[in-house]
Amino acid sequence: MNKKKISLFFLTVLLLLTTPVLPVRAEEDSEDEDVTMAPYFLVVSEDTTVDCFPLKETNVTTNITGTIAETYVTQTYKNEGDSPISASYLFPASTKVSVHGMTMQVGSNIVTAQIKEKEEAKQEFEEAKSEGKSASLLEQKRANVFNMDVANIMPGDTVIIKLHYTELISPEEGTYQFVFPTVVGPRYSDPKDQTDKDANGWVETPYMESGSTITGKYSITVNLSTGVPITNLSSKSHDIDIAWNNNASAKITLSNPADYAGNRDFILDYKLTGNQVESGLVLSEGENENFFMLTIQPPERFTPEDIPPREYIFVLDVSGSMNGYPMDTAKVLIKDLVSSLKETDKFNLILFSGSSKQLSPKSLTATRENIKEAIDLIDEQEGYGGTSLSPALESAINIPADKNTARSIVVITDGYISGEQNVFDLISQNLGTTSFFSFGIGSSVNRYLVDGIAYAGAGESFVVTDAEDASETAERFRTYIQSPILTDINVTYEGFDVYDVEPAALPTLFAQKPIVLFGKYKGDAEGTITVSGKTGNKDYSQKIAVSDIKSLTDNDAVSYLWARTRVERLMDYGYSKDNPEVKDEVTQLGLDYSMMTPYTSFIAVIDTVRNPEGKSADVDQPNPLPLGVSNLAVGGGYRAYSEPADIILLLSMICILLTSMIYHHRKKQIKKCVS
């Protein structure tokens, strides 16, 4: 091929790569049930009468008192178009949060939402929508992913939705961390995964391109009151202003409201003077039930003299969503993890995207040569394709094990998949002598997956937001795995009539964080609670006299935290999910405690017909891509051409290229004939 042809070829390729045509979702009425759903880039409609961005503002206010955080989220929708719309919006929350309150306001009409069984709430919403009534429906898609539907927003309408969350803030290694997720990262739905029938309903959601100008406002305010002097108050995710009321109370706001805050997790860290977490008992006396929350400070870490040989299998995500900054951060982390292995250790490496690649059929001794080979392989990765974690995890589990070596499987990912249950089931079926640890990489990771891997795998989870944290986090991992705080934990009660204690069993305690128990009790708060276990090779025991500990009353938050912890054990990480008895119990918990669950939803309806014709345009509010995540995260990095003009342009370019090649070929033949 001569220079002209080469130039024309590369020019055409360049045009193909830079043409701004974007993937769009598959039609809902497609006859092909095997079509893989995936996130898509928003293509703005030419119909200017329809407002494609109805969510105008999100305001978050969190009040942290002691260790309990009460969060109020206000979402303001406004229809600035000329025709009625019904909007749908996907948003995240903490994996530990209990959502137990919702109101809707349209004009002067304010309605308190009711909790109902999921199907009943959905039916009531659809009926209200078809009748032309304004309504809102809040559904749980995952423990940390929720979907808001708002029907019949009339031109000029402002609709205000207020949500109420409760969660517990527990310290780790003396540091308290409050995390408020602001955006749901794009999820990859594996077409082979048939276990999650609900996934396609929310995985297929619109996103804006990386670098797009984001409309709307996002504000965050935290009112922190600890009762103990606060130190080291900071945020590594956002620039913040701190207004101190006194040394134990402060108001935290965003420094620059113009800097969009809703494209990465809001992370607030702080410590308390003395770095000590005191044991404490909180009581909540109700008309029908009494609840307690017990916090127990664990012992100091015991460092064993002899650390047994270990095997580490690293499972590294190299998919499209990891391209760029997340991949660079993951490389720093895993290089640090691999480079610090001892020669008595063994290791292996599995890289996964749509498929997976394994360093070696069997784990290798951690020699310099083997470590260099692994690092060279890691350095080659850039991040492309889908995210198929389950097959890679299966490969890791199936690597032949050495009976004399303690095995740990370490998953490093942003967690942008929808098939979490498959992963949890796989882990719970293969615990045995293997423990599972997870590292979430990025500014807005799927903490449900990252935390769930550790929960199901009797390990620990970590989140690394930037490369600067990688070395410190790797060191913490090594400390945790080599010297757990407390093992074989058991809790007994004497003279304190308790029942329905959550969690029912406590796993190995790797991190320096308190043991927190929720439960119900009958009669007076008296007697003793004994916590026992092993620290290293020594026995450990701690007794708490219930009557001697200062208690609080009339604290409704404890009942929500108990209910959320029970649902978590029953549902969140795949245990007994298909059991009808579990479904009935979780549904009843949601109804009894007015709380979101997979089987209960909030529904609010204004009983006035505002849109007599009952017709409205359905609008999916687009999410921004999480900070640092590239466009390759949407659609697995593959380009798709859908609009007629896009297809015509693509075919035209191909024709130009083929015509040029034929012309030059014929010209060359003519020259030969002439000569």
Side-chain angles (χ1 to χ4, degrees):
M1 190 179 289
N2 60 29
K3 290 183 179 180
K4 288 184 179 179
K5 289 165 65 180
I6 292 173
S7 299
L8 185 58
F9 173 78
F10 280 110
L11 176 61
T12 305
V13 171
L14 180 62
L15 286 170
L16 289 173
L17 292 174
T18 57
T19 302
V21 287
L22 304 171
V24 297
R25 63 177 173 180
E27 293 296 328
E28 292 180 2
D29 59 353
S30 171
E31 296 179 0
D32 184 2
E33 296 180 356
D34 294 328
V35 172
T36 301
M37 301 296 182
Y40 63 97
F41 285 124
L42 179 73
V43 177
V44 179
S45 171
E46 295 180 359
D47 183 3
T48 56
T49 65
V50 177
D51 187 354
C52 295
F53 298 85
L55 180 63
K56 306 302 178 185
E57 190 169 352
T58 301
N59 292 303
V60 180
T61 300
T62 297
N63 302 318
I64 301 176
T65 304
T67 59
I68 295 176
E70 299 280 355
T71 296
Y72 300 86
V73 179
T74 303
Q75 299 171 346
T76 301
Y77 298 82
K78 186 174 183 180
N79 184 0
E80 296 179 345
D82 299 327
S83 58
I85 61 173
S86 293
S88 182
Y89 173 54
L90 197 69
F91 65 98
S94 164
T95 56
K96 302 292 184 182
V97 77
S98 169
V99 182
H100 53 81
M102 170 178 148
T103 62
M104 177 179 71
Q105 179 177 353
V106 182
S108 59
N109 295 312
I110 301 176
V111 178
T112 299
Q114 302 298 312
I115 195 76
K116 296 188 176 183
E117 291 191 36
K118 185 176 182 178
E119 295 306 320
E120 181 185 353
K122 182 72 172 177
Q123 182 178 351
E124 185 174 334
F125 175 81
E126 293 298 338
E127 288 176 357
K129 180 180 177 181
S130 64
E131 292 170 359
K133 298 176 181 178
S134 293
S136 56
L137 174 69
L138 180 65
E139 295 181 304
Q140 178 177 315
K141 300 302 181 182
R142 290 290 186 273
N144 64 336
V145 178
F146 300 87
N147 190 85
M148 179 69 73
D149 286 306
V150 184
N152 293 311
I153 309 175
M154 303 303 290
D157 268 357
T158 296
V159 179
I160 300 173
I161 308 290
K162 292 185 178 180
L163 306 174
H164 185 189
Y165 307 167
T166 299
E167 66 181 302
L168 184 70
I169 311 296
S170 290
E172 183 172 321
E173 307 297 329
T175 297
Y176 291 79
Q177 185 174 86
F178 169 69
V179 178
F180 185 85
T182 66
V183 63
V184 177
R187 299 292 196 262
Y188 172 76
S189 180
D190 191 336
K192 298 175 184 177
D193 180 9
Q194 300 300 318
T195 61
D196 186 11
K197 297 178 182 179
D198 184 50
N200 288 347
W202 64 273
V203 166
E204 186 199 22
T205 191
Y207 282 85
M208 292 180 283
E209 282 192 276
S210 178
S212 298
T213 300
I214 301 172
T215 60
K217 299 178 181 178
Y218 208 112
S219 66
I220 300 173
T221 300
V222 178
N223 299 305
L224 178 62
S225 179
T226 61
V228 178
I230 302 166
T231 63
N232 298 348
L233 178 58
S234 64
S235 173
K236 57 185 175 182
S237 61
H238 296 70
D239 293 331
I240 58 173
D241 289 335
I242 303 173
W244 292 96
N245 301 315
N246 52 58
N247 63 2
S249 177
K251 180 178 181 179
I252 298 96
T253 55
L254 300 177
S255 296
N256 182 13
D259 177 21
Y260 186 71
N263 61 351
R264 70 257 193 212
D265 291 353
F266 175 78
I267 303 174
L268 185 70
D269 292 323
Y270 59 96
K271 293 184 177 182
L272 303 181
T273 301
N275 280 344
Q276 289 298 314
V277 180
E278 295 183 1
S279 298
L281 184 65
V282 177
L283 305 178
S284 176
E285 299 178 3
E287 293 183 7
N288 302 313
E289 295 176 311
N290 299 328
F291 294 87
F292 73 89
M293 180 180 75
L294 177 66
T295 303
I296 305 168
Q297 173 68 359
E300 294 295 323
R301 188 181 303 279
F302 175 86
T303 304
E305 295 179 3
D306 297 320
I307 297 174
R310 303 198 66 92
E311 177 191 13
Y312 301 92
I313 301 175
F314 300 100
V315 182
L316 175 61
D317 184 350
V318 294
S319 64
S321 60
M322 292 285 287
N323 183 273
Y325 141 82
M327 190 76 253
D328 294 340
T329 301
K331 285 179 181 180
V332 174
L333 171 69
I334 197 166
K335 282 181 187 179
D336 197 306
L337 292 170
V338 173
S339 299
S340 302
L341 297 178
K342 300 178 180 180
E343 290 195 359
T344 54
D345 295 331
K346 290 184 177 181
F347 78 101
N348 214 324
L349 174 65
I350 295 175
L351 310 174
F352 74 94
S353 53
S355 58
S356 59
K357 181 177 182 179
Q358 191 167 313
L359 176 65
S360 173
K362 294 183 178 180
S363 291
L364 305 173
T365 305
T367 62
R368 288 185 180 180
E369 293 77 12
N370 290 335
I371 290 173
K372 183 180 183 304
E373 183 182 352
I375 290 176
D376 288 344
L377 181 59
I378 294 164
D379 277 333
E380 295 172 2
Q381 307 310 311
E382 294 184 13
Y384 292 102
T387 313
S388 295
L389 173 55
S390 293
L393 202 55
E394 259 187 277
S395 297
I397 292 167
N398 290 331
I399 291 174
D402 185 344
K403 295 181 181 179
N404 299 318
T405 303
R407 169 177 282 192
S408 296
I409 293 178
V410 183
V411 180
I412 303 171
T413 180
D414 54 21
Y416 291 163
I417 66 169
S418 69
E420 295 100 335
Q421 184 183 343
N422 263 359
V423 174
F424 303 149
D425 288 345
L426 192 58
I427 290 172
S428 61
Q429 293 163 10
N430 291 277
L431 273 175
T433 57
T434 302
S435 55
F436 294 78
F437 292 79
S438 56
F439 287 83
I441 306 293
S443 62
S444 301
V445 303
N446 180 4
R447 291 176 185 257
Y448 174 55
L449 176 71
V450 173
D451 292 344
I453 288 172
Y455 185 97
E460 197 74 35
S461 63
F462 307 83
V463 174
V464 183
T465 56
D466 54 56
E468 294 178 1
D469 291 341
S471 295
E472 180 185 343
T473 308
E475 181 58 36
R476 276 199 295 138
F477 166 74
R478 284 190 290 271
T479 301
Y480 288 6
I481 205 167
Q482 292 173 0
S483 51
I485 296 286
L486 199 61
T487 61
D488 302 328
I489 304 172
N490 187 39
V491 183
T492 56
Y493 305 86
E494 295 179 10
F496 187 32
D497 191 3
V498 306
Y499 65 104
D500 287 346
V501 177
E502 297 293 341
L506 293 165
T508 294
L509 193 63
F510 287 96
Q512 184 71 30
K513 57 186 178 185
I515 298 168
V516 181
L517 295 169
F518 299 96
K520 302 177 184 178
Y521 70 96
K522 300 175 183 177
D524 297 328
E526 56 187 15
T528 59
I529 302 172
T530 302
V531 180
S532 60
K534 287 187 177 294
T535 174
N537 56 4
K538 297 181 180 179
D539 291 331
Y540 170 83
S541 180
Q542 181 181 354
K543 287 185 178 292
I544 298 97
V546 175
S547 58
D548 291 346
I549 294 178
K550 182 181 178 181
S551 62
L552 302 174
T553 57
D554 300 326
N555 195 327
D556 291 338
V558 178
S559 63
Y560 296 127
L561 294 172
W562 171 85
R564 178 67 191 88
T565 306
R566 190 171 186 88
V567 170
E568 177 183 299
R569 178 173 63 82
L570 292 170
M571 283 290 304
D572 280 2
Y573 302 116
Y575 301 117
S576 305
K577 188 172 183 179
D578 297 324
N579 187 328
E581 292 181 2
V582 169
K583 180 179 179 180
D584 290 344
E585 182 177 353
V586 171
T587 301
Q588 197 60 49
L589 284 167
L591 297 174
D592 289 345
Y593 297 95
S594 187
M595 184 179 69
M596 288 288 300
T597 73
Y599 307 123
T600 52
S601 304
F602 276 110
I603 173 71
V605 178
I606 292 180
D607 198 20
T608 302
V609 176
R610 308 184 65 250
N611 183 14
E613 294 184 4
K615 295 180 180 179
S616 60
D618 290 331
V619 174
D620 290 327
Q621 169 79 23
N623 271 308
L625 279 175
L627 185 68
V629 174
S630 77
N631 289 334
L632 292 173
V634 175
Y638 298 103
R639 296 180 60 81
Y641 296 83
S642 56
E643 298 296 320
D646 299 340
I647 297 171
I648 292 171
L649 179 60
L650 175 60
L651 292 174
S652 298
M653 290 179 175
I654 293 172
C655 287
I656 291 171
L657 178 60
L658 292 175
T659 302
S660 173
M661 294 176 69
I662 292 170
Y663 169 76
H664 284 286
H665 178 70
R666 294 291 296 163
K667 187 176 179 181
K668 190 174 181 180
Q669 284 185 325
I670 292 170
K671 284 183 178 180
K672 284 183 178 179
C673 291
V674 172
S675 62

